Amino acid sequence: MGNLFCLYQVDQSTVAIKENFGKFDDVLEPGCHCVPWIFGSQIAGKLTLRLQQLDVKCETKTKDNVFVNVVASVQYRALADKASDAFYKLSNTRAQIQAYVFDVIRATVPKLLLDDAFEQKNEIAKAVEEELEKAMSAYGFEIVQTLIVDIEPDERVKKAMNEINAAARLRVAATEKAEAEKILQIKRAEGEAESKYLSGQGIARQRQAIVDGLRDSVLGFSVNVPGTTAKDVMDMVLVTQYFDTMKEIGASSKSSAVFIPHGPGAVRDVATQIRDGLLQGHAATD
């Protein structure tokens, strides 16, 4: 019915290319237009102005000879003021864009190592976008954005990369564990040294207190009991100490002490041995 009355409707975000006897005549914007076909006017075709996306998968290799598949996503659209160029100059827009993407990626990625290619995805996308913008603007198309959405190496390469990463992490973990054990051993040794130092101080003070107590006992007993000698007092103190020790050993149910002769006749021998040992030690010191 529209053709009968020479009327033609152009949808929103679309333009129509009008020809007159096969020659470009005008670009029709969205709306209703009169196309008098009886005078040689006709619609050659439509051109969408909507944003379009083309995903391109390109196989190439990196500088370290690793083959990868690079997936680029190109977003583009036709310009309304250059609709005639976009309609007439290119017969296959998507194939043309794909060819330029292949050319740029295969010229850029081989200059990069595999790790650098992952890190410089934005630089690769920028190079593709600049080349496409320069080439496609002459044909009435605008490159809105170009993205490198994926860089996929061979499965064996990915497995090797994962193994390298895992080995590096295990090496770091082993180093940290060894360092932690080293710190624990150092702290443990410092604690033991401090403990032994304090224990030695305690033993020294204990022995000093025993010596002071014995000296005071001998002097006090000699003053309060006339006629006694220091030897008599020492014998009595040693016998007292002996019986106190025996009492403590007998009171313990889990004692591991070694018993020596402790009959009444042996007490004097024990006292003599202890006294002689003390005198010999004193003489050796002098």
Side-chain angles (χ1 to χ4, degrees):
M1 184 65 71
N3 291 334
L4 180 63
F5 292 99
C6 301
L7 298 178
Y8 188 82
Q9 176 181 322
V10 181
D11 297 332
Q12 185 65 35
S13 300
T14 306
V15 293
I17 305 300
K18 179 184 176 183
E19 294 180 347
N20 191 18
F21 293 107
K23 181 181 179 180
F24 170 73
D25 182 42
D26 194 10
V27 176
L28 303 182
E29 296 183 352
C32 186
H33 299 273
C34 179
V35 183
W37 57 271
I38 56 176
F39 297 109
S41 296
Q42 64 177 354
I43 300 300
K46 294 182 179 180
L47 181 67
T48 180
L49 301 180
R50 294 180 181 178
L51 184 67
Q52 301 180 70
Q53 178 169 310
L54 173 63
D55 293 329
V56 181
K57 186 175 183 180
C58 175
E59 184 180 17
T60 183
K61 73 172 185 175
T62 61
K63 188 176 181 180
D64 45 354
N65 296 321
V66 178
F67 280 88
V68 294
N69 287 315
V70 181
V71 180
S73 179
V74 181
Q75 298 175 353
Y76 67 99
R77 63 187 173 192
L79 297 173
D81 56 344
K82 295 184 178 180
S84 60
D85 292 337
F87 185 80
Y88 287 105
K89 288 187 177 182
L90 287 179
S91 60
N92 192 333
T93 305
R94 299 174 72 87
Q96 185 76 10
I97 293 176
Q98 180 174 312
Y100 278 110
V101 172
F102 278 5
D103 182 65
V104 176
I105 289 179
R106 288 174 175 170
T108 304
V109 175
K111 299 178 182 178
L112 304 173
L113 298 175
L114 180 60
D115 292 339
D116 296 336
F118 281 100
E119 295 175 0
Q120 300 182 25
K121 289 172 59 177
N122 292 336
E123 285 74 7
I124 299 174
K126 185 177 180 181
V128 174
E129 183 175 343
E130 290 177 352
E131 186 66 23
L132 283 176
E133 182 67 30
K134 182 171 60 176
M136 298 304 294
S137 61
Y139 300 109
F141 285 92
E142 176 190 10
I143 304 301
V144 178
Q145 192 171 16
T146 302
L147 303 173
I148 301 298
V149 296
D150 192 17
I151 298 178
E152 184 178 354
D154 185 80
E155 287 295 331
R156 291 173 295 179
V157 176
K158 289 195 292 185
K159 183 178 179 181
M161 293 175 65
N162 290 333
E163 290 177 353
I164 292 172
N165 189 27
R169 292 181 180 274
L170 289 174
R171 184 167 60 251
V172 172
T175 302
E176 295 295 332
K177 183 179 179 180
E179 188 67 23
E181 291 179 354
K182 175 184 175 182
I183 293 174
L184 288 176
Q185 291 179 358
I186 292 175
K187 293 299 181 181
R188 189 181 297 113
E190 291 177 351
E192 291 178 357
E194 185 69 18
S195 175
K196 290 179 180 180
Y197 173 75
L198 295 176
S199 176
Q201 284 187 331
I203 292 173
R205 291 176 181 175
Q206 179 187 20
R207 291 176 178 175
Q208 184 63 41
I210 292 173
V211 171
D212 294 340
L214 290 174
R215 184 181 63 249
D216 295 339
S217 298
V218 171
L219 293 176
F221 196 88
S222 300
V223 172
N224 294 326
V225 182
T228 58
T229 63
K231 175 179 176 303
D232 297 332
V233 176
M234 181 61 72
D235 289 342
M236 186 183 67
V237 170
L238 291 175
V239 171
T240 303
Q241 291 285 339
Y242 173 77
F243 283 113
D244 289 340
T245 302
M246 296 300 299
K247 180 179 178 181
E248 291 179 2
I249 294 174
S252 177
S253 61
K254 297 181 180 180
S255 176
S256 60
V258 177
F259 286 92
I260 59 175
H262 56 280
V267 173
R268 185 176 184 87
D269 294 336
V270 173
T272 302
Q273 294 175 11
I274 295 174
R275 183 173 60 253
D276 292 343
L278 291 174
L279 293 175
Q280 290 176 3
H282 180 70
T285 303
D286 294 340

